[in-house]
Amino acid sequence: MEVRPNAGGFGAELRGIDVRGLDGAGFAALRRAWIAHAVLLLRDQVLTDDDLVAFSRRFGDLDLAPVQESGRSTVVGRPEIYVVSNVIENGVAIGSLGAGEAVWHTDMSYLPAPPMASLLYALEVPAEGGDTWFCSMYAALERLAPELRRRIAGRRVKHDGTYNSGGYVRQGVTPTDDPRAAPGALHPLICRHPESGREMLYLGRRRNAWLEGLDLAESDALLDAIWAGIDAPEIGWRHHWRPGDLVLWDNRCTMHRRDAFDPARRRIMHRTQVKGVAPPAAA
Ligand code: SIN
């Protein structure tokens, strides 16, 4: 196995691996690389849904996929797989998030115990657009001005459960734009990664976020100041997909977003999510 860190220093590509045939030592090495680099790309994987689920389960138990926007639950017989797609079949979307931009987010952080990992496998992708961007939440914290960091120390942030990253209202939720009334979970804004021991920002999504205990205007001003650093190219990595790409990210210390693409082109991705624990506050 060869670990090739990305040019910008964040994330890595693993070469020389077929995840279907990985022995115990190989998986341990892959897992160490995943903790060290936070986002891993493995190209040219040939995976059935069963293969994807079996490999994902080596990280731990899986969360069931969120209900998709159309109300379809998931892939028949595979409730762990979340379909990300713009494809319409018989008048019904086969997946979620359409062809528009998906804004910066951490997967399912509106839950009290969000997934620790997500694995996204590309089945069909457009030649242009639909790139996925990742950013390091360790680096996002390190880049905060000391005064801003002091002001947010010890605070909790509301992670909204109303809207998904494509801006669609989740099934069964009555939409509200008041973050205090919205469904979701409160998590520490500065967390300590349970495995690396490093401190990181834990933001989730900007829309409907709220810093507990502050009035909305003060909370919005602080959150806007924090979010202003997220797009910095120095802390991120952009991935242009090929069919057969498998990208796995540490959902605790990264965020991701996706570029829009031509809705006339097909994009089909299958995702699994590995169960995690409530994000621990930094001391
Ligand atoms: C996701 O947010 O999990 C999907 C990202 C993508 O479509 O590239």
Side-chain angles (χ1 to χ4, degrees), residues 84 97 105 107 120 132 165 241 249 256 258 267 271:
V84 178
L97 302 184
H105 66 284
D107 290 331
L120 188 62
T132 307
S165 57
W241 294 90
W249 59 88
H256 54 284
R258 184 198 71 199
R267 188 175 188 272
R271 192 188 82 191

Side-chain angles (χ1 to χ4, degrees), residues 114-177:
M116 69 167 182
S118 296
L119 295 90
L120 188 62
Y121 179 60
L123 293 159
E124 291 184 50
V125 289
E128 285 175 21
D131 292 0
T132 307
W133 300 63
F134 295 89
C135 73
S136 163
M137 300 308 281
Y138 297 131
L141 179 64
E142 282 160 10
R143 290 166 59 91
L144 280 192
E147 172 59 12
L148 181 54
R149 183 170 172 155
R150 191 191 59 71
R151 290 179 66 194
I152 63 170
R155 293 211 170 270
R156 294 199 303 171
V157 62
K158 177 78 173 280
H159 290 237
D160 174 58
T162 309
Y163 301 99
N164 71 17
S165 57
Y168 299 90
V169 175
R170 293 184 195 282
Q171 281 282 318
V173 173
T174 306
T176 170
D177 285 317

Side-chain angles (χ1 to χ4, degrees), residues 60-63 112-117 194 251-252 273-279:
D61 291 340
L62 303 187
D63 272 318
M116 69 167 182
N251 196 47
R252 300 165 290 192
Q273 19 324 283
V274 183
K275 275 186 190 297
V277 298

Side-chain angles (χ1 to χ4, degrees), residues 22 38 52 85 94 128 133 157 178 198 206 234 236 255:
L22 210 53
L52 177 61
S85 184
I94 66 164
E128 285 175 21
W133 300 63
V157 62
D178 182 342
R198 296 176 64 190
R206 177 63 188 93
E234 298 81 8
M255 291 198 302

Side-chain angles (χ1 to χ4, degrees), residues 3-238:
V3 183
R4 295 169 65 104
N6 294 327
F10 174 55
E13 180 178 349
L14 290 196
R15 294 203 175 160
I17 289 189
D18 176 346
V19 298
R20 294 171 305 182
L22 210 53
D23 63 13
F27 180 72
L30 178 146
R31 204 181 184 294
R32 278 195 301 276
W34 172 68
I35 293 295
H37 296 282
V39 186
L40 296 181
L41 164 65
L42 290 84
R43 293 228 191 244
D44 303 320
Q45 302 299 306
V46 182
L47 303 179
T48 63
D49 285 334
D50 285 354
D51 293 330
L52 177 61
V53 167
F55 176 62
S56 304
R57 281 211 177 113
R58 297 186 75 173
F59 288 84
D61 291 340
L62 303 187
D63 272 318
L64 297 186
V67 176
Q68 297 181 175
E69 290 141 21
S70 62
R72 275 169 65 138
S73 53
T74 49
V75 176
V76 174
R78 274 290 170 218
E80 307 91 343
I81 290 185
Y82 183 58
V83 180
V84 178
S85 184
N86 64 319
V87 172
I88 311 278
E89 275 175 7
N90 302 320
V92 181
I94 66 164
S96 293
L97 302 184
E101 178 188 356
V103 298
W104 284 115
H105 66 284
T106 300
D107 290 331
M108 296 160 68
S109 65
Y110 52 84
L111 298 176
M116 69 167 182
S118 296
L119 295 90
L120 188 62
Y121 179 60
L123 293 159
E124 291 184 50
V125 289
E128 285 175 21
D131 292 0
T132 307
W133 300 63
F134 295 89
C135 73
S136 163
M137 300 308 281
Y138 297 131
L141 179 64
E142 282 160 10
R143 290 166 59 91
L144 280 192
E147 172 59 12
L148 181 54
R149 183 170 172 155
R150 191 191 59 71
R151 290 179 66 194
I152 63 170
R155 293 211 170 270
R156 294 199 303 171
V157 62
K158 177 78 173 280
H159 290 237
D160 174 58
T162 309
Y163 301 99
N164 71 17
S165 57
Y168 299 90
V169 175
R170 293 184 195 282
Q171 281 282 318
V173 173
T174 306
T176 170
D177 285 317
D178 182 342
R180 296 162 300 187
L186 284 160
H187 295 300
L189 187 51
I190 302 179
C191 295
R192 186 172 297 285
H193 193 289
E195 295 188 67
S196 72
R198 296 176 64 190
E199 291 185 352
M200 64 216 176
L201 269 177
Y202 194 63
L203 292 180
R205 281 174 180 73
R206 177 63 188 93
R207 187 170 187 179
N208 264 8
W210 169 61
L211 293 175
E212 185 185 31
L214 299 186
D215 66 40
L216 287 181
E218 195 182 353
S219 167
D220 280 342
L222 276 175
L223 287 170
D224 286 345
I226 296 167
W227 275 88
I230 293 303
D231 278 314
E234 298 81 8
I235 70 169
W237 171 63
R238 173 186 192 168

